[in-house]
Amino acid sequence: MAVSNERRLLEPWQDPKAPPYLRIDRVTKTFGDLYAVDDVSLNIFKGEFFSLLGSSGCGKSTLLRLLAGFEYPTSGRIYIDGVDVTDVPPYARPVNMMFQSYALFPHMTVEQNVEFGLKQDRVAKKERQERVGEMLDLLKIMELRKRRPDQLSGGQRQRVALARSLARHPKLLLLDEPLGALDKRLRESTQFELVNLQERLGITFVTVTHDQEEAMTMSTRIAVMDAGQIMQVDTPTAIYEFPNCRLTAEFIGSVNLFEGKVMEREGDQVLIEARHGGILRMRSLHPHPLGTPVTVAIRPEKMRLSDGPAEDGVNRLSGVVEDIAYLGDVSIYRIRANGGQLVEMTLTNIQPRTEQALTWEQDVSVEWSPTSGVVLTE
Amino acid sequence: MKRRAWPLLGVLAFGYAFLYVPILLLIFYSFNESRLVTVWSGFSVKWYGELLHNRQLLDAAWLSIRIAATNATVAVVLGTLAANALVRHGRFRGRTGLELLLTAPLVMPDVIIGLSLLLLFVALRELIGWPDGRGFTTITIAHITFSMAYVAVVVRSRLGQMDASLEEAAMDLGARPLGVYRQITLPLIAPALLSGWLLAFTLSLDDLVIASFVSGPGATTLPMVVYSSVRMGVSPQINALATLIVAVVTLAVVIAGISLGRKPGR
């Protein structure tokens, strides 16, 4: 899923001896009664492109503001490169942020905007100009240097904001919805550019986004947040294939959930009696006690669809095609199972649409293998 | 269509006439040769010449300008501080009180402001011996108390429109709070400060009621002189003076308009 993953023997997060570059240690932030960030611990490593993913109000932005220093945690500590920065004000942190609104200074030219941070650091004029030039070159905005922010397009503003936040060579770059204000096409090309830039500069990026696709394409790792807590931290692939709870499964991509009870264990597989009828057999290493309620999560593209009702057996459902959404490359089928449940599945359109056999109201059966999904306990 | 537009144009013309004919007449008669203000007898600028030799009027004008300038400057500083507190510091203890205090002068009759300040000055003098006599200082203080409220309103709306993340961005880029204020906030609210200053200047320059209450012997402001001399019969000198004031005020309004009209940053 990630655009580029250098193949190392061991990724830093898999290596227990690797020192974290950014360490968030049991941080809590409350606003009155509200726990915006609730006991969050995270280790982020040098050179990572880390995404905080969640719906609005889940605390991801507050966490980012805590890292930037605009908010101070109610409890817990934050370390950057081994130094405790919890009480360091924003202007003294080796961290820069790219704001969602870009926050370009409207009374300054592009050049002056990029130069601003260097001026605060009292960098000599000659070096300042060199570094501003470097940044403008890097982001291909040299010809805009004399313009003011209100004379720029959205994409150009984004580049200026990025140049400005990179000019001080921060140890950590925070990006708040970096692509949120761009239109769809620009967003896709910018995603790849951001990743390339990050790999070239080797700066650790922490980004906040509510767009799961964006997080999947760009990140080395993703933390899924909900109600101030981190639900799961893992690589995009692992989060997609092996979500650890219903929330993560539902937040990333679409998923079919079948509730049921554990009936029997056979080696590394469990048999589950589904609430809507039928027996499911899934691979699970979790030691589920018999009788525990579980949820089986299966991605829509990991199911097989065939004509005619199913014969009895495990991981099989019969139903009727209720809806077909043709998206060009794939079609989404909604199937009303005989138990009453709605099952969603995607099929790649290998044949031209007109050739397809399946149509509305047709009797079909859905089938999957024990390794196609995961068993969730909550 | 054309015919139906006529009544509307008539109403518009009447509106303009209602607002501007008196002023135009006043300017017109300032160039009158005759001593009688309402009888035209030929073009002349002699009243402007006489005005320049009228010590009493000139002294009063100079006093008024000094008061207005001092008042405007202090009011801009205090009004900006108040606006900052209200916009940037969320809910602090005494916020409602401050807001109330800032709106009070906008709705309070001048007579009450003038009287209450006079009583305050008299009481203070008995208590601590200050202010010793009324004049420039007391009038300026009185003017500051109400014009800072107007400044606060103007600056507050401008600050409110300003994206707070601009200040955060500056701080994030290494600027300390004072640096942020100097390099980001001040330049962005500068047009509001300018128009606030001009507003405070004008308010002070044409205040008659409050100044009459808190001034003392020897400190007569321009509006007070004009008012008292009109009661003894209008001299075309007053027309000349009024023309000059209209010119200055128009210029100030135009400057303020231009500086505010420049597109503010988002």
Side-chain angles (χ1 to χ4, degrees), chain A residues 160-334:
Chain A
V160 177
L162 202 55
R164 187 179 71 179
S165 53
L166 285 169
R168 289 174 85 210
H169 299 321
K171 290 187 169 176
L172 199 64
L173 183 70
L174 310 173
L175 302 104
D176 190 1
E177 303 275 0
L179 310 174
L182 303 180
D183 60 64
K184 196 172 186 307
R185 288 188 66 179
L186 198 56
R187 203 152 61 205
E188 278 166 11
S189 62
T190 313
Q191 278 177 11
F192 290 96
E193 233 186 298
L194 260 184
V195 173
N196 288 335
L197 197 66
Q198 190 261 344
E199 284 183 349
R200 197 131 61 102
L201 297 173
I203 294 177
T204 309
F205 279 29
V206 176
T207 142
V208 150
T209 177
H210 66 273
D211 183 333
Q212 42 117 348
E213 228 173 276
E214 199 177 297
M216 297 281 278
T217 8
M218 300 197 295
S219 324
T220 52
R221 283 192 305 156
I222 297 174
V224 181
M225 285 187 75
D226 182 57
Q229 292 178 324
I230 290 189
M231 310 306 288
Q232 187 171 7
V233 184
D234 220 322
T235 60
T237 326
I239 287 213
Y240 186 79
E241 303 290 351
F242 307 107
N244 66 357
C245 59
R246 278 180 75 144
L247 188 118
T248 318
E250 282 180 304
F251 195 78
I252 310 243
S254 18
V255 71
N256 292 302
L257 298 172
F258 302 96
E259 290 170 3
K261 271 194 186 123
V262 177
M263 277 166 56
E264 211 182 317
R265 171 169 284 283
E266 284 179 8
D268 63 350
Q269 296 186 340
V270 283
L271 286 176
I272 296 151
E273 183 182 10
R275 196 156 65 85
H276 290 282
I279 308 287
L280 313 179
R281 174 196 288 277
M282 298 302 299
R283 183 171 180 270
S284 175
L285 299 174
H286 196 277
H288 308 284
L290 298 187
T292 29
V294 290
T295 307
V296 173
I298 298 157
R299 299 286 181 193
E301 76 281 1
K302 294 199 168 57
M303 298 172 143
R304 281 184 305 275
L305 187 62
S306 37
D307 207 350
E311 291 163 33
D312 281 351
V314 293
N315 297 349
R316 253 182 223 169
L317 289 173
S318 298
V320 191
V321 178
E322 195 171 277
D323 248 324
I324 306 177
Y326 172 70
L327 302 183
D329 50 350
V330 292
S331 290
I332 298 172
Y333 291 84
R334 287 216 168 129

Side-chain angles (χ1 to χ4, degrees), chain A residues 340-371:
Chain A
Q341 197 177 9
L342 202 60
V343 177
E344 191 178 295
M345 51 177 309
T346 40
L347 285 187
T348 312
N349 292 324
I350 301 169
Q351 298 291 326
R353 165 93 166 119
T354 47
E355 310 271 317
Q356 271 175 21
L358 291 172
T359 180
W360 288 271
E361 302 298 334
Q362 190 169 349
D363 285 328
V364 288
S365 62
V366 175
E367 199 180 350
W368 64 90
S369 79
T371 51

Side-chain angles (χ1 to χ4, degrees), chain B residues 90-120:
Chain B
R91 308 175 59 83
F92 53 88
R93 189 181 286 264
R95 187 195 162 97
T96 325
L98 182 61
E99 280 202 277
L100 219 64
L101 276 178
L102 276 178
T103 28
L106 306 180
V107 294
M108 194 88 80
D110 284 357
V111 183
I112 293 176
I113 298 182
L115 183 61
S116 64
L117 282 166
L118 173 63
L119 294 177
L120 173 79

